[in-house]
Amino acid sequence: MMDADVIVVGAGHAGIEAAYASAKMGLQTLLVTIHLETVAQMSCNPSIGGTAKGQLVREIDAMGGAMARIGDKCGIHYKLLNRKKGPAIQAPRAQEDKACYRLSMKHFLEGVENLILYQGIVTGILVKGGRAAGVETLEGIKIGAGAVVLTPGTFLNGLIHIGERHYPSGRANEPASVELAENLRSIGFKMGRLKTGTPMRIHADTIDYSRFEVQEGDSDPVPLSFWTERVENKIVCYLGYTNEKVHEIIRKNLHRSALYSGRIVGIGPRYCPSIEDKIVKFPHHKRHHIFLEPEGLETKEVYANGLSSSLPYEVQEEFMRAIPGLENAVMMRPGYAIEYDFVQPTQLRPTLETLPVENLFLAGQINGTSGYEEAAGQGLLAGINAALKLKGKPPFILPRKISYIGVMVEDLITQGVDEPYRLFTSRAERRLYLRADNADLRLTPLAWELGLIGEEEYREFLKRKERRERAREYLFCTKSGKITVAQAFASKKISLKEALSHLPQALRPATQDEARYLDAEMRYSGYLEKEVRVAERLKKEEALEVPPDMDFSSLEGLSNELKEKLAKYKPRTIGEAKRIPGMTPAALGLIIGKIKEWKRRKGLNSS
């Protein structure tokens, strides 16, 4: 096997973006995967995007990534989430034809210059003089490289649980990477254990859809990619509910759940709990949502979103058939839980290069994250920096003030993780600015400088940019009565439709993204500056001391999660509180206010 400049281990969502970026930057790149047939496999849900994740997908797309483009090629059901709320939290989401996505991505990667796909099981990282120098495979083949990007997903020492049974696996019926996990430990990485899961798949022809509520896609679907002109909905989804009978079946079998029997030691995702977790932790809820999502146009498999479980097969079948409309349903695959090793991400630089080993980069679930989009964003950054390192160029670091990718990476390397990390808009100090509609304005010029965007696409971007900026300037300068159109809209004196009608025909929005951009710029014009000032204030307050006897349990507006963590970590300063996993800017603001109020009551200086 020929050596490469960059070797990327794992062809999931992180590995794909890492390899694609590295190859586009002119590095000979080898993408190694256990099975070539499972490149870009969607192991769990059949969708891309969603709240915060949609913004992340747009950033990857703005940087020249592949996820959104292939996502639009295979999208079958589109929703813009939070349409009735402000544009800052509106997020595109597309349900995918999973087989189409996998095959289309593989075909796409096979045509990328400087990129070779190779099937093999990597068992170790070759390290020479403190630097990554390549990889070794199960067959004993040693492949040299200047840099290695490791993206093993849930395969690191993976263990699948279904009821009382468990077996080593990185994904259903695929081998776990046991030797690679041992190799990383031997190098000296601090590692931990996490858990995630997936629900059952149901045969479409055995579902009584009349008992479910139809969930149509949007009538004017929004693409995932800036470069896609038009998409369409090809399916409908369905909404149903659990009931007390379902809950009772689960309660009486909790002792057989891998999660509640003590067989699982890994910590699961707080924001994507199993159905067992929901029943135990929310006993006052009489029912829970179930979304039936077809996994593609040419398959009968339906993803039962909301029914993730590690209960035995027969129990899953029993509670499934207690759900109205699923009385005669046939399960095609049971749900399962999977435990896997991860590397504590505080051992990473902002470039995602590891501190213990130079030229070794980590991306995706190995860093303690969850979600396709979080993985892809890290992969993109890791691939870029692996290429820059070998070229002898300065590193590429995305600040949190200009991107959600930057928010995520800084959270990971400064806070670490104590449960699977998921991105939320609340994690960003500047979420009014970090929107899906302006991701290209923020990031595409950077992608152009790095060589990630072609000349033709960059010219197209510049035209979009000029059009939006001219329209914005017109709305902020043209009067509507005694005030500008932008001021009239911001003060709710006129509607968005009325505001946009003031534009000359040539400047009127050609896409929904353009309309949302103008909406946001007018709506948030005063708040954007305030957001910057608040972020600067939080940074200045890092030295503020937290009184040792301060009780945050009754602080209104603070989540129970953060109250628990404050009690656990007992931060001595705001800087230490900021580094607590899951801490948000809004929560820090509340804590600072509480401390200053406490000091005023004690007659102390609150500065």
Side-chain angles (χ1 to χ4, degrees):
M1 186 68 202
M2 292 180 61
D3 292 348
D5 295 323
V6 177
I7 293 176
V8 179
V9 180
H13 308 287
I16 286 166
E17 299 297 349
Y20 184 40
S22 168
K24 279 198 292 183
M25 292 173 70
L27 279 293
Q28 293 298 318
T29 305
L30 183 70
L31 179 57
V32 185
T33 179
I34 290 177
H35 289 300
L36 288 172
E37 294 80 6
T38 56
V39 168
Q41 179 82 313
M42 294 179 130
S43 308
C44 194
N45 61 296
S47 67
I48 291 173
T51 303
K53 295 172 179 286
Q55 284 89 330
L56 197 52
V57 171
R58 280 291 178 85
E59 291 188 358
I60 295 163
D61 186 56
M63 289 292 296
M67 175 176 268
R69 300 189 196 211
I70 302 301
D72 280 337
K73 181 176 181 180
C74 300
I76 54 178
H77 186 273
Y78 286 82
K79 281 272 190 185
L80 182 70
L81 303 189
N82 303 316
R83 268 188 187 265
K84 294 181 180 179
K85 298 180 180 179
I89 57 171
Q90 290 176 3
R93 180 185 185 271
Q95 193 173 318
E96 299 293 316
D97 183 315
K98 288 173 104 170
C100 172
Y101 188 84
R102 175 169 45 81
L103 294 171
S104 297
M105 186 66 84
K106 180 172 181 284
H107 178 68
F108 171 75
L109 294 173
E110 288 172 338
V112 173
E113 189 177 357
N114 301 320
L115 179 59
I116 296 294
L117 275 65
Y118 178 72
Q119 181 167 300
I121 297 177
V122 171
T123 55
I125 307 299
L126 302 177
V127 180
K128 293 181 181 177
R131 293 187 176 189
V135 301
E136 183 171 359
T137 69
L138 186 63
E139 299 85 0
I141 301 171
K142 295 182 178 180
I143 311 170
V148 175
V149 181
L150 191 55
T151 69
T154 59
F155 282 73
L156 268 189
N157 218 7
L159 188 67
I160 280 181
H161 295 266
I162 304 178
E164 294 92 348
R165 295 182 176 273
H166 61 267
Y167 56 91
S169 188
R171 192 162 50 204
N173 304 315
E174 295 185 54
S177 295
V178 178
E179 296 93 339
L180 183 57
E182 292 172 354
N183 174 250
L184 291 173
R185 279 193 172 84
S186 71
I187 291 172
F189 283 103
K190 179 184 176 184
M191 301 177 73
R193 196 92 168 133
L194 294 175
K195 167 257 174 189
T196 189
T198 191
M200 64 190 70
R201 275 46 160 199
I202 302 171
H203 195 294
D205 293 345
T206 64
I207 298 170
D208 179 1
Y209 290 108
S210 67
R211 308 290 297 279
F212 292 86
E213 302 170 21
V214 175
Q215 303 290 294
E216 301 274 1
D218 289 340
S219 58
D220 51 349
V222 177
L224 295 172
S225 174
F226 287 108
W227 316 99
T228 302
E229 289 185 10
R230 183 175 172 276
V231 291
E232 60 180 294
N233 293 303
K234 298 175 182 177
I235 60 157
V236 296
C237 297
Y238 297 88
L239 170 64
Y241 304 92
T242 61
N243 52 41
E244 186 51 40
K245 183 178 179 182
V246 171
H247 300 184
E248 182 54 36
I249 293 168
I250 292 170
R251 278 193 292 265
K252 76 178 183 182
N253 285 284
L254 277 176
H255 64 286
R256 303 184 67 193
S257 163
L259 181 63
Y260 281 94
S261 65
R263 283 185 292 277
I264 290 179
V265 297
I267 301 168
R270 181 184 298 263
Y271 302 102
C272 188
S274 66
I275 188 64
E276 298 100 285
D277 249 353
K278 292 176 187 177
I279 303 307
V280 171
K281 293 179 178 177
F282 307 104
H284 55 289
H285 287 193
K286 301 301 181 185
R287 64 181 189 175
H288 295 280
H289 289 93
I290 306 161
F291 289 95
L292 299 181
E293 302 173 338
E295 294 210 331
L297 301 178
E298 304 296 331
T299 180
K300 294 292 185 181
E301 288 187 78
V302 175
Y303 182 86
N305 194 337
L307 293 181
S308 179
S309 177
S310 66
L311 284 160
Y313 172 87
E314 61 272 19
V315 178
Q316 292 188 41
E317 188 173 56
E318 184 182 3
F319 75 67
M320 174 187 73
R321 290 184 174 170
I323 295 168
L326 300 182
E327 293 89 348
N328 299 307
V330 171
M331 193 188 305
M332 297 179 75
R333 307 188 201 190
Y336 62 80
I338 181 167
E339 285 185 283
Y340 56 94
D341 287 351
F342 78 102
V343 172
Q344 188 57 252
T346 50
Q347 300 164 96
L348 300 174
R349 303 179 191 274
T351 58
L352 298 183
E353 183 183 22
T354 70
L355 291 167
V357 180
E358 194 176 352
N359 290 13
L360 175 62
F361 298 78
L362 308 184
Q365 284 176 287
I366 190 173
N367 292 337
T369 60
S370 64
Y372 306 151
E373 303 82 1
E374 287 90 342
Q378 293 169 70
L380 174 73
L381 190 66
I384 291 169
N385 280 300
L388 290 173
K389 186 78 183 286
L390 296 187
K391 288 182 171 187
K393 294 185 176 181
F396 178 70
I397 298 170
L398 277 170
R400 64 187 299 131
K401 66 182 180 181
I402 69 163
S403 71
Y404 274 110
I405 296 174
V407 170
M408 170 176 61
V409 171
E410 186 175 308
D411 284 354
L412 291 172
I413 67 173
T414 60
Q415 298 177 359
V417 297
D418 54 11
E419 61 187 50
Y421 177 96
R422 179 178 174 180
L423 192 64
F424 291 98
T425 58
S426 61
R427 295 190 189 272
E429 293 86 349
R430 300 195 61 193
R431 64 176 177 169
L432 298 184
Y433 175 58
L434 305 183
R435 307 186 307 267
D437 63 78
N438 70 356
D440 58 339
L441 298 180
R442 291 184 277 118
L443 300 176
T444 298
L446 301 176
W448 167 250
E449 291 173 10
L450 290 164
L452 297 171
I453 294 285
E455 188 174 343
E456 185 178 337
E457 289 175 331
Y458 192 59
R459 283 200 301 267
E460 181 185 332
F461 157 73
L462 290 176
K463 289 178 183 177
R464 289 200 310 258
K465 178 175 182 285
E466 182 186 11
R467 179 187 178 87
R468 277 181 282 183
E469 288 177 346
R470 285 177 59 201
R472 182 191 185 282
E473 183 180 5
Y474 192 95
L475 293 169
F476 275 80
C477 296
T478 302
K479 290 291 184 71
S480 175
K482 294 182 179 180
I483 56 178
T484 66
V485 174
Q487 289 170 332
F489 172 72
S491 59
K492 300 183 179 179
K493 289 182 169 60
I494 60 174
S495 67
L496 179 62
K497 184 177 180 181
E498 289 171 319
L500 298 180
S501 70
H502 284 77
L503 289 169
Q505 194 65 41
L507 293 181
R508 291 189 181 178
T511 65
Q512 291 186 60
D513 276 328
E514 288 185 12
R516 278 196 302 280
Y517 168 78
L518 295 172
D519 178 344
E521 289 296 302
M522 292 188 291
R523 184 189 302 259
Y524 299 138
S525 58
Y527 297 101
L528 287 167
E529 294 175 7
K530 181 181 177 183
E531 205 173 50
V532 173
R533 292 195 299 271
V534 170
E536 289 173 349
R537 173 176 161 251
L538 287 176
K539 193 169 184 179
K540 289 177 182 176
E541 297 282 14
E542 288 193 16
L544 181 65
E545 293 183 356
V546 178
D549 56 345
M550 178 67 70
D551 178 18
F552 295 104
S553 61
S554 60
L555 181 52
E556 191 174 342
L558 204 63
S559 70
N560 289 332
E561 172 195 350
L562 287 176
K563 288 176 184 178
E564 292 169 10
K565 289 184 175 181
L566 284 163
K568 174 183 175 183
Y569 290 101
K570 295 181 173 58
R572 293 170 296 177
T573 65
I574 287 298
E576 289 185 8
K578 185 179 179 181
R579 290 187 286 275
I580 292 175
M583 184 59 69
T584 67
L588 280 175
L590 289 171
I591 293 167
I592 291 168
K594 175 80 169 177
I595 292 171
K596 292 190 172 182
E597 179 189 336
W598 183 89
K599 286 191 172 186
R600 282 194 296 271
R601 286 204 312 269
K602 298 279 186 178
L604 301 172
N605 188 342
S606 62
S607 62

